[in-house]
Amino acid sequence: GAVVSQHPSWVICKSGTSVKIECRSLDFQATTMFWYRQFPKQSLMLMATSNEGSKATYEQGVEKDKFLINHASLTLSTLTVTSAHPEDSSFYICSARVPRGGYNEQFFGPGTRLTVL
Amino acid sequence: QKEVEQNSGPLSVPEGAIASLNCTYSDRGSQSFFWYRQYSGKSPELIMFIYSNGDKEDGRFTAQLNKASQYVSLLIRDSQPSDSATYLCAVNLVTSGTYKYIFGTGTRLKVLA
């Protein structure tokens, strides 16, 4: 299967600072990556769809100026949480779409746990 | 109505029994369906996908899809304590050329030794 990595795996920051999370496809090229957020005991909520070379598509209710997404290459997408606050503390997970003939498979990164103090 | 619905559980089954997990979805345009397993603090891992009506078997796992009734299920035979996790149902939607995955809230499975 395809391998997706994320860095860092966890981060603790002070309120008001910005945090960048990287998502890399290691052994394949990903034209489309997804960013999810998961709060404790809740499901994955899609934040945005990241397409290489174009602007990300954000889900309703997700602030694009707060969650900056850049997908500058076929193997790297980044999510920057700007001016982070304690309510942004969550588990952030990226995934990459891999077309397989008539359907699409999705491979997840290991996730990044963000704690904002 | 939520787009993808699952019973949150917990669903408790004894070791060796069959665990049955169900999922319903609302969008008839859904093309493919996935079951993921998620252990606490970890990201989801794919168990199976299905996109045609009927059953699909892979080892101890069987996925069942009924597009007319808009449900998809996952059967786990010979359940093991290591199967204890949250199982997420996901649906792939394609709208205006945009691919999107919608997840259910997950069913927590407990396999009792």
Side-chain angles (χ1 to χ4, degrees):
Chain A
V3 179
V4 178
S5 71
Q6 270 184 255
H7 178 80
S9 55
W10 59 269
V11 57
I12 301 173
C13 69
K14 293 182 178 180
S15 184
T17 60
S18 294
V19 175
K20 179 186 282 189
I21 303 171
E22 293 185 348
C23 178
R24 292 183 185 272
S25 56
L26 296 186
D27 51 0
F28 66 101
Q29 293 181 330
T31 55
T32 304
M33 291 183 172
F34 303 93
W35 286 97
Y36 295 87
R37 180 168 54 181
Q38 187 177 35
F39 292 108
K41 299 192 185 302
Q42 295 187 24
S43 189
L44 278 73
M45 295 302 297
L46 178 65
M47 298 176 67
T49 302
S50 169
N51 295 297
E52 187 268 337
S54 64
K55 291 183 179 180
T57 302
Y58 290 81
E59 293 300 301
Q60 193 171 11
V62 178
E63 300 174 57
K64 60 179 67 176
D65 293 331
K66 180 170 181 63
F67 298 99
L68 301 178
I69 291 173
N70 185 285
H71 194 158
S73 78
L74 287 171
T75 59
L76 174 64
S77 176
T78 60
L79 168 68
T80 301
V81 183
T82 62
S83 187
H85 288 93
E87 57 266 30
D88 298 323
S89 299
S90 188
F91 192 42
Y92 291 85
I93 310 173
C94 73
S95 70
R97 179 176 73 91
V98 179
R100 301 278 201 206
Y103 66 95
N104 297 283
E105 209 165 336
Q106 182 178 204
F107 293 92
F108 284 91
T112 297
R113 188 160 301 283
L114 170 64
T115 302
V116 185
L117 303 176
Chain B
Q1 181 188 3
K2 292 182 180 178
E3 294 184 71
V4 180
E5 292 202 53
Q6 294 180 255
N7 188 318
S8 61
L11 171 66
S12 296
V13 299
E15 184 175 358
I18 296 175
S20 178
L21 305 164
N22 299 312
C23 171
T24 58
Y25 60 95
S26 60
D27 194 320
R28 287 193 174 274
S30 304
Q31 296 190 339
S32 45
F33 309 85
F34 302 81
W35 282 100
Y36 289 87
R37 176 173 61 196
Q38 186 177 28
Y39 294 109
S40 181
K42 303 292 184 182
S43 67
E45 54 180 326
L46 180 66
I47 298 176
M48 289 190 71
F49 66 89
I50 186 168
Y51 53 91
S52 298
N53 275 326
D55 295 359
K56 180 181 179 182
E57 187 174 316
D58 184 0
R60 295 187 296 115
F61 300 98
T62 299
Q64 300 173 317
L65 174 62
N66 185 322
K67 290 187 177 181
S69 301
Q70 294 177 246
Y71 87 80
V72 57
S73 63
L74 179 70
L75 300 177
I76 307 175
R77 290 181 296 282
D78 188 23
S79 296
Q80 301 297 308
S82 58
D83 294 327
S84 298
T86 296
Y87 289 79
L88 300 169
C89 171
V91 169
N92 181 208
L93 299 176
V94 181
T95 53
S96 303
T98 300
Y99 297 88
K100 183 187 293 190
Y101 297 86
I102 306 297
F103 282 81
T105 53
T107 299
R108 194 154 62 94
L109 173 66
K110 288 185 176 180
V111 181
L112 308 172

